[in-house]
Amino acid sequence: MEIHEGAAAAAAPASRDCVLDYSRLSLNSFSADGVSEERKREARQLYLNYNRLSSLPSSLSLFCSLEFLDISNNGLSVLCDEITGLCKLKTLLAKNNRLDEFSLPKEFGSMQLEVLNFGGNRFEEIPLQCTKLLRLQSLSLGGNRLKSIPAEIDNLTSLEMLYLGGNLIAAIPPEVANLPYLSYLVLCDNRIQSVPPQLTRLHSLRSLSLHNNLLTYLPREILSLVHLQELSLRGNPLVVRFVKEMMYDPPSLLELAGRTIKSRNIPYSPSDLPLNLVRYLDLASKCPNPKCAGVYFDSCVRHIKFVDFCGKYRLPLMHYLCSPECTSPCSSNPQSDAESEDENSVPADRLQRVLLG
């Protein structure tokens, strides 16, 4: 389809920044030949989204003042080297194409991008070129095939928003905690099983989306995220499991005997028992409830300690106990009292939204 400058001019709003809009025209290719030299120099925004482009033209570099480029919803499998010549480009939207970690130019990391959206593509890894974009403030790679987050993510020290929802990520690397300005972290719809306690260092974090993962608990350190206003947890085993009545497998006869010996301080020596039983007794763990003198071996309640944030919702934190009877420990122990006071004194407005269901 032939492109005429007039079509773009008619589509461009009357503003000081020149906007060239070639979106939704079913284009199989794009040529800058029909664009005047003046408009090439002055263009600040270029829309090529919702077309049928399989490649970008080398003439793209002629738009030397371009700050915004939208090439989403095409059939692109590679980005041409010439895109790195757009030295003023701040925003690149390339959603819903066929891009992967091998599609980017080698010098892509030298660009001055502030916003990058590669959502809905075929990335199995975050390209290392992306971790070199030191001015990047927003990175979106949702709806891809990512299996991990590289440790090099902590190079992006200007990052404020990281969107990695809808992937196959199994773990959050502690390096994510090295992003000082990160305010929005979206990791929903992945396969994450735990949250590293290092995330407590994300002092700017306001929103944390973890729904539809495989979480069974949260680290207590999450209470230190003083600016956190929204925490989404629905669709995790910790919610599904603890909303229902907790099931508890009773201890075996062996464990009951071991608990009796340990809790009542019945004396024994290695000569009294077989070696395997002596070793077993050495594995006893004391129940953390200060009012309980019990111990446990294999059969414990992997329970949560609910912390009330805003009256209606309670945040589940991991808590191990020897039996269901210990689900509400209270104590006169000074250290335990101090911990309870800290939790109960969390202001109601600390979390505006805790989404559990």
Side-chain angles (χ1 to χ4, degrees):
M1 180 176 179
E2 187 178 0
I3 302 299
H4 296 284
E5 180 186 347
S15 64
R16 194 174 78 176
D17 291 341
C18 182
V19 179
L20 301 180
D21 190 349
Y22 296 106
S23 62
R24 302 178 186 273
L25 296 177
S26 300
L27 301 177
N28 295 312
S29 62
F30 172 74
S31 172
D33 294 343
V35 183
S36 69
E37 295 300 321
E38 181 181 3
R39 289 180 67 81
K40 289 176 187 175
R41 289 193 306 269
E42 294 180 353
R44 299 291 190 274
Q45 302 181 35
L46 176 59
Y47 292 85
L48 293 171
N49 50 313
Y50 288 98
N51 282 296
R52 301 174 182 174
L53 303 177
S54 58
S55 62
L56 296 175
S58 59
S59 58
L60 191 66
S61 60
L62 298 177
F63 296 88
C64 55
S65 299
L66 211 59
E67 298 177 359
F68 178 100
L69 175 61
D70 190 348
I71 51 176
S72 302
N73 298 91
N74 280 285
L76 299 171
S77 59
V78 65
L79 298 184
C80 59
D81 291 342
E82 284 75 13
I83 198 171
T84 62
L86 300 174
C87 57
K88 295 184 178 181
L89 192 66
K90 295 180 180 178
T91 300
L92 174 60
L93 307 182
K95 301 178 292 182
N96 303 324
N97 281 285
R98 300 174 183 174
L99 302 171
D100 59 29
E101 56 269 27
F102 305 107
S103 300
L104 308 185
K106 183 181 297 186
E107 300 302 320
F108 188 81
S110 66
M111 299 183 70
Q112 305 302 306
L113 292 175
E114 297 177 359
V115 177
L116 176 61
N117 193 325
F118 279 146
N121 278 281
R122 301 178 179 180
F123 289 92
E124 294 186 7
E125 299 177 359
I126 297 180
L128 291 182
Q129 294 100 310
C130 292
T131 66
K132 297 178 181 179
L133 298 168
L134 302 185
R135 295 192 180 185
L136 203 61
Q137 298 174 17
S138 175
L139 175 61
S140 300
L141 277 157
N144 278 277
R145 305 169 184 176
L146 301 177
K147 298 177 182 178
S148 62
I149 304 173
E152 291 82 359
I153 196 75
D154 64 2
N155 293 335
L156 303 178
T157 53
S158 298
L159 205 62
E160 298 177 9
M161 196 275 281
L162 179 59
Y163 192 109
L164 299 176
N167 282 287
L168 305 172
I169 298 170
I172 306 173
E175 286 79 8
V176 171
N178 297 332
L179 302 174
Y181 301 109
L182 193 64
S183 299
Y184 301 91
L185 177 57
V186 181
L187 293 166
C188 58
D189 300 287
N190 277 286
R191 299 177 179 178
I192 297 169
Q193 299 184 40
S194 63
V195 176
Q198 289 88 346
L199 289 194
T200 187
R201 300 203 303 267
L202 292 175
H203 301 299
S204 300
L205 196 64
R206 296 176 57 191
S207 178
L208 177 59
S209 295
L210 292 168
H211 54 272
N212 299 329
N213 276 285
L214 302 175
L215 296 171
T216 56
Y217 70 96
L218 295 177
R220 189 182 186 281
E221 288 82 357
I222 202 167
L223 297 174
S224 299
L225 295 174
V226 295
H227 296 298
L228 193 64
Q229 296 179 357
E230 182 176 63
L231 174 62
S232 180
L233 296 171
R234 65 183 183 275
N236 279 283
L238 66 84
V239 176
V240 175
R241 177 181 176 187
F242 295 113
V243 165
K244 300 178 181 178
E245 183 177 356
M246 181 174 52
M247 302 299 295
Y248 173 63
D249 293 328
S252 64
L253 291 176
L254 173 64
E255 178 156 351
L256 287 173
R259 288 187 179 198
T260 300
I261 292 173
K262 284 294 188 179
S263 60
R264 297 187 179 182
N265 294 316
I266 297 176
Y268 66 91
S269 65
S271 60
D272 298 327
L273 300 171
L275 182 59
N276 63 314
L277 293 182
V278 174
R279 290 174 177 170
Y280 179 76
L281 290 171
D282 290 341
L283 297 176
S285 298
K286 188 180 184 302
C287 182
N289 182 354
K291 289 293 187 180
C292 176
V295 297
Y296 62 87
F297 293 87
D298 302 314
S299 182
C300 65
V301 178
R302 195 183 186 199
H303 194 47
I304 53 171
K305 192 173 186 179
F306 284 105
V307 177
D308 192 347
F309 274 95
C310 47
K312 182 178 180 181
Y313 298 108
R314 294 183 297 169
L315 186 64
L317 305 180
M318 177 55 73
H319 196 58
Y320 291 95
L321 298 165
C322 69
S323 71
E325 286 72 25
C326 292
T327 53
S328 300
C330 59
S331 171
S332 60
N333 180 286
Q335 182 177 357
S336 180
D337 282 346
E339 291 176 357
S340 298
E341 183 180 353
D342 288 344
E343 293 170 359
N344 292 331
S345 63
V346 176
D349 59 355
R350 266 281 307 280
L351 278 184
Q352 296 177 358
R353 301 177 66 194
V354 180
L355 307 178
L356 296 177

